[in-house]
């Protein structure tokens, strides 16, 4: 088994789905968290000038979703065949669509533009969240085929970040998504990870 080191900032955000996958599988990994002041030194050493970065046996890889997909395949969380994998991937992409919408206004510095972007996000989000909620209802409490996949872990791992950007509970009105969150957080290895992970703003 490779020796893994995951490098990211001292927050959850894009690294947390990776941390959830490692934790779920019981895979040891070094959770390196760097402060913004050392980022300029590290940036040139990364594959594409961004984090998170995973080092496996001294080989560097980037892109959080690609890393998650690789780990999901290793841990049997990516579907039993290509068709199942397609549906799980589509759900993960939809989850990241939510992230893009939230980030578009959260990181906007122009207050007028920020307000317009938030309004656009608030018009789009219920449409998508209703469908994700229904998807969980129709799949016996998970996003796909009544069984845990990396889509479930990704969604719950990103929720703290989503709620931080949204400034409220994004899924407060979505019963099935709330049940999914509770189910994932009660998985013994995930529960253990959350209890021992460093405290961060989000």
């Amino acid at each position: 088994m490779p020796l893994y080191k995951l490098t990211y900032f001292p927050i959850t955000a894009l690294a947390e789905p990776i941390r959830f996958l490692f934790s779920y599988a019981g895979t040891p990994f070094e959770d390196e968290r760097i402060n913004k002041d050392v980022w300029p030194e590290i940036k040139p050493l990364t594959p594409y000038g961004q984090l998170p970065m995973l080092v496996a046996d001294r080989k560097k890889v980037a892109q959080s979703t690609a890393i998650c997909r690789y780990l999901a395949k290793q841990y049997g969380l990516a579907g039993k065949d290509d068709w199942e994998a397609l549906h799980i991937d589509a759900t993960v992409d939809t989850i990241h669509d939510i992230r893009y919408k939230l980030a578009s206004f959260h990181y906007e510095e122009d207050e007028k533009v920020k307000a317009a972007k938030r309004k656009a996000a608030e018009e789009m989000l219920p449409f998508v969240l209703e469908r994700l909620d229904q998807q969980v209802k129709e799949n016996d409490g998970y996003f796909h085929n009544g069984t845990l996949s990396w889509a479930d872990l990704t969604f719950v791992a990103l929720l703290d970040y989503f709620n931080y950007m949204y400034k409220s509970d994004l899924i407060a009105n979505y019963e099935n998504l709330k049940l999914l969150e509770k189910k994932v957080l009660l998985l013994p290895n995930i529960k253990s990870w959350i209890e021992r992970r460093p405290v961060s703003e989000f």
Side-chain angles (χ1 to χ4, degrees):
M1 183 184 290
L3 297 171
Y4 291 114
K5 180 168 86 167
L6 179 65
T7 303
Y8 195 54
F9 303 108
I11 53 176
T12 59
L14 291 177
E16 202 64 11
I18 303 170
R19 297 178 185 133
F20 265 44
L21 280 158
F22 279 139
S23 300
Y24 171 79
T27 301
F29 71 103
E30 182 183 343
D31 183 28
E32 182 181 49
R33 300 181 181 224
I34 64 157
N35 292 318
K36 290 282 175 72
D37 56 347
V38 301
W39 170 231
E41 301 168 33
I42 292 172
K43 186 173 182 177
L45 306 176
T46 66
Y48 306 116
Q50 60 191 34
L51 297 176
M53 174 178 71
L54 183 67
V55 179
D57 287 342
R58 291 178 289 186
K59 295 173 184 172
K60 297 175 182 176
V61 289
Q63 293 294 349
S64 59
T65 307
I67 293 167
C68 284
R69 187 179 293 109
Y70 167 78
L71 294 175
K73 289 176 182 175
Q74 306 298 305
Y75 304 147
L77 295 171
K80 294 193 292 289
D81 54 38
D82 288 344
W83 184 248
E84 285 196 7
L86 171 62
H87 282 275
I88 294 166
D89 285 355
T91 302
V92 170
D93 286 350
T94 302
I95 292 163
H96 283 290
D97 285 347
I98 293 171
R99 179 174 63 82
Y100 295 138
K101 276 292 183 185
L102 294 171
S104 73
F105 69 77
H106 176 73
Y107 292 105
E108 177 58 58
E109 293 181 358
D110 183 311
E111 288 302 322
K112 193 172 180 181
V113 176
K114 188 186 190 85
K117 286 184 174 180
R118 181 169 183 117
K119 185 171 184 289
E122 287 173 343
E123 288 170 359
M124 168 268 202
L125 287 168
F127 182 92
V128 175
L129 289 167
E130 283 167 17
R131 278 154 180 76
L132 288 175
D133 192 73
Q134 185 64 23
Q135 189 175 327
V136 172
K137 184 178 181 180
E138 291 172 358
N139 284 277
D140 299 321
Y142 297 96
F143 278 127
H144 182 71
N145 210 27
T147 188
L148 186 75
S149 73
W150 69 289
D152 304 301
L153 294 181
T154 296
F155 183 72
V156 177
L158 286 171
L159 269 175
D160 284 341
Y161 183 39
F162 288 177
N163 292 337
Y164 171 79
M165 292 192 287
Y166 196 53
K167 299 292 184 273
S168 68
D169 184 353
L170 187 70
I171 61 169
N173 299 322
Y174 300 96
E175 180 187 354
N176 297 291
L177 293 177
K178 292 296 281 185
L179 289 171
L180 173 64
E181 177 190 24
K182 186 176 180 181
K183 191 182 300 183
V184 169
L185 294 179
L186 286 174
L187 290 167
N189 283 3
I190 298 297
K191 188 170 182 286
S192 173
W193 162 248
I194 287 168
E195 287 168 356
R196 73 176 189 275
R197 70 183 176 183
V199 175
S200 60
E201 186 179 6
F202 61 88

mmCIF file of all heavy atoms in Angstrom, residues 4 28 52 55 67 74 87 105 136 143 159:
data_model
loop_
_atom_site.group_PDB
_atom_site.id
_atom_site.type_symbol
_atom_site.label_atom_id
_atom_site.label_comp_id
_atom_site.label_asym_id
_atom_site.label_seq_id
_atom_site.Cartn_x
_atom_site.Cartn_y
_atom_site.Cartn_z
ATOM 1 N N TYR A 4 0.607 7.642 1.876
ATOM 2 C CA TYR A 4 -0.082 8.821 1.368
ATOM 3 C C TYR A 4 0.183 10.057 2.231
ATOM 4 O O TYR A 4 0.127 9.993 3.458
ATOM 5 C CB TYR A 4 -1.592 8.582 1.341
ATOM 6 C CG TYR A 4 -2.056 7.580 0.324
ATOM 7 C CD1 TYR A 4 -2.616 6.367 0.719
ATOM 8 C CD2 TYR A 4 -1.966 7.848 -1.050
ATOM 9 C CE1 TYR A 4 -3.074 5.444 -0.218
ATOM 10 C CE2 TYR A 4 -2.421 6.940 -1.993
ATOM 11 C CZ TYR A 4 -2.970 5.741 -1.571
ATOM 12 O OH TYR A 4 -3.421 4.832 -2.494
ATOM 13 N N PRO A 28 -4.172 4.758 6.507
ATOM 14 C CA PRO A 28 -3.370 5.806 7.156
ATOM 15 C C PRO A 28 -2.919 6.847 6.119
ATOM 16 O O PRO A 28 -2.588 6.504 4.986
ATOM 17 C CB PRO A 28 -2.159 5.044 7.716
ATOM 18 C CG PRO A 28 -2.519 3.596 7.654
ATOM 19 C CD PRO A 28 -3.498 3.445 6.542
ATOM 20 N N PRO A 52 -5.981 20.704 -3.166
ATOM 21 C CA PRO A 52 -5.125 19.704 -2.511
ATOM 22 C C PRO A 52 -4.190 18.977 -3.473
ATOM 23 O O PRO A 52 -4.449 18.894 -4.668
ATOM 24 C CB PRO A 52 -6.136 18.734 -1.900
ATOM 25 C CG PRO A 52 -7.383 18.885 -2.700
ATOM 26 C CD PRO A 52 -7.415 20.307 -3.154
ATOM 27 N N VAL A 55 0.446 13.023 -2.369
ATOM 28 C CA VAL A 55 1.722 12.374 -2.687
ATOM 29 C C VAL A 55 1.597 10.914 -2.282
ATOM 30 O O VAL A 55 1.272 10.597 -1.134
ATOM 31 C CB VAL A 55 2.905 13.048 -1.955
ATOM 32 C CG1 VAL A 55 4.213 12.338 -2.294
ATOM 33 C CG2 VAL A 55 2.991 14.524 -2.324
ATOM 34 N N ILE A 67 -8.714 12.532 -7.546
ATOM 35 C CA ILE A 67 -8.136 11.778 -6.426
ATOM 36 C C ILE A 67 -9.239 10.961 -5.736
ATOM 37 O O ILE A 67 -9.056 9.777 -5.436
ATOM 38 C CB ILE A 67 -7.444 12.727 -5.422
ATOM 39 C CG1 ILE A 67 -6.208 13.373 -6.061
ATOM 40 C CG2 ILE A 67 -7.051 11.974 -4.146
ATOM 41 C CD1 ILE A 67 -5.644 14.545 -5.267
ATOM 42 N N GLN A 74 -10.525 2.117 -5.480
ATOM 43 C CA GLN A 74 -9.743 1.235 -4.610
ATOM 44 C C GLN A 74 -10.601 0.633 -3.502
ATOM 45 O O GLN A 74 -10.397 -0.507 -3.087
ATOM 46 C CB GLN A 74 -8.578 2.013 -3.962
ATOM 47 C CG GLN A 74 -7.657 2.752 -4.911
ATOM 48 C CD GLN A 74 -6.948 1.826 -5.872
ATOM 49 O OE1 GLN A 74 -6.280 0.885 -5.461
ATOM 50 N NE2 GLN A 74 -7.110 2.087 -7.158
ATOM 51 N N HIS A 87 -23.479 7.050 -13.203
ATOM 52 C CA HIS A 87 -24.508 7.691 -12.382
ATOM 53 C C HIS A 87 -23.904 8.315 -11.121
ATOM 54 O O HIS A 87 -24.298 9.420 -10.722
ATOM 55 C CB HIS A 87 -25.587 6.672 -12.003
ATOM 56 C CG HIS A 87 -26.554 6.400 -13.120
ATOM 57 N ND1 HIS A 87 -27.644 7.189 -13.351
ATOM 58 C CD2 HIS A 87 -26.561 5.446 -14.082
ATOM 59 C CE1 HIS A 87 -28.307 6.735 -14.407
ATOM 60 N NE2 HIS A 87 -27.668 5.671 -14.861
ATOM 61 N N PHE A 105 -20.644 33.565 -5.428
ATOM 62 C CA PHE A 105 -20.973 34.784 -4.680
ATOM 63 C C PHE A 105 -20.147 34.935 -3.410
ATOM 64 O O PHE A 105 -19.814 36.043 -3.008
ATOM 65 C CB PHE A 105 -22.481 34.894 -4.386
ATOM 66 C CG PHE A 105 -23.044 33.907 -3.399
ATOM 67 C CD1 PHE A 105 -22.845 34.055 -2.037
ATOM 68 C CD2 PHE A 105 -23.813 32.836 -3.843
ATOM 69 C CE1 PHE A 105 -23.392 33.155 -1.125
ATOM 70 C CE2 PHE A 105 -24.364 31.936 -2.942
ATOM 71 C CZ PHE A 105 -24.147 32.102 -1.580
ATOM 72 N N VAL A 136 -32.163 10.448 -3.268
ATOM 73 C CA VAL A 136 -31.876 9.687 -2.040
ATOM 74 C C VAL A 136 -33.114 8.900 -1.603
ATOM 75 O O VAL A 136 -33.017 7.728 -1.226
ATOM 76 C CB VAL A 136 -31.398 10.637 -0.913
ATOM 77 C CG1 VAL A 136 -31.280 9.893 0.410
ATOM 78 C CG2 VAL A 136 -30.047 11.253 -1.282
ATOM 79 N N PHE A 143 -27.435 7.938 -2.578
ATOM 80 C CA PHE A 143 -27.582 8.567 -3.888
ATOM 81 C C PHE A 143 -27.760 7.551 -5.015
ATOM 82 O O PHE A 143 -28.341 7.871 -6.046
ATOM 83 C CB PHE A 143 -26.377 9.455 -4.203
ATOM 84 C CG PHE A 143 -26.458 10.826 -3.581
ATOM 85 C CD1 PHE A 143 -25.415 11.308 -2.802
ATOM 86 C CD2 PHE A 143 -27.566 11.638 -3.773
ATOM 87 C CE1 PHE A 143 -25.478 12.579 -2.237
ATOM 88 C CE2 PHE A 143 -27.645 12.902 -3.205
ATOM 89 C CZ PHE A 143 -26.590 13.369 -2.441
ATOM 90 N N LEU A 159 -20.434 19.498 3.146
ATOM 91 C CA LEU A 159 -21.531 20.275 3.711
ATOM 92 C C LEU A 159 -21.079 21.407 4.639
ATOM 93 O O LEU A 159 -21.654 22.510 4.601
ATOM 94 C CB LEU A 159 -22.517 19.367 4.455
ATOM 95 C CG LEU A 159 -23.673 18.828 3.616
ATOM 96 C CD1 LEU A 159 -24.518 17.853 4.433
ATOM 97 C CD2 LEU A 159 -24.547 19.954 3.073
#
